[in-house]
Amino acid sequence: MHLPLIAAAGSEDEAAVVALWRACELTRPWNDPHADFRLALASGSAAVLVARADAGLAGAVMVGFDGHRGWVYYLAVAPERRRHGLGRALMQAGEDWLRGRGAPKTQLMVREDNEAALGFYEALGLERQKVVTLGRFLKEGA
């Protein structure tokens, strides 16, 4: 199986990308993935990169640069396309995008009970950081 070309998503990709994120169980009720997708495309400091295959969307990743660190979100590979290097290729494409904007470091958040994702990222050479993530919702009802 060859790796599909990875390129920037367009607005026409929104439904397919969000469906992939949902199929990979990356969404949560308090986050609107459609809003996340649109905001990334509208921002000059973020992007959604997609990997297309003959059968449709094979994978996607959202990346952003906050001026201090690069961030990776929503890295998803269609279940039938896993274990062929596409996740690694998407991560590389995301890091290339960040490197191109001067990001000195890549960071991402993984839910602590997601052992499969933790194993994947550790196999790519990412290391657990000695930080605690704190947060609060800025809008009511989230």
Side-chain angles (χ1 to χ4, degrees):
M1 182 178 298
H2 71 81
L3 293 178
L5 175 68
I6 299 171
S11 59
E12 70 280 0
D13 295 310
E14 179 179 341
V17 168
V18 171
L20 176 65
W21 290 343
R22 286 190 170 134
C24 294
E25 300 180 357
L26 298 179
T27 61
R28 292 297 179 262
W30 53 85
N31 285 348
D32 178 353
H34 289 281
D36 290 346
F37 181 93
R38 287 185 215 122
L39 188 57
L41 264 58
S43 169
S45 60
V48 177
L49 307 175
V50 294
R52 301 177 201 289
D54 295 337
L57 196 67
V61 62
M62 185 168 75
V63 292
F65 180 45
D66 64 15
H68 183 64
R69 296 284 187 252
W71 289 89
V72 175
Y73 304 93
Y74 289 123
L75 192 147
V77 174
E80 68 277 7
R81 300 290 302 211
R82 293 181 182 166
R83 300 260 186 235
H84 296 283
L86 184 53
R88 179 179 296 272
L90 282 162
M91 188 66 182
Q92 183 64 53
E95 287 184 333
D96 289 346
W97 187 94
L98 292 165
R99 197 176 287 110
R101 280 142 188 89
K105 181 179 181 183
T106 299
Q107 295 188 159
L108 53 92
M109 293 177 277
V110 177
R111 288 178 188 86
E112 65 184 351
D113 64 346
N114 191 340
E115 293 299 325
L118 289 168
F120 167 75
Y121 290 116
E122 288 170 352
L124 293 183
L126 282 86
E127 301 172 346
R128 293 182 192 222
Q129 305 292 290
K130 293 183 179 187
V131 298
V132 174
T133 301
L134 304 173
R136 83 170 94 204
F137 291 106
L138 297 177
K139 62 181 182 179
E140 291 186 36

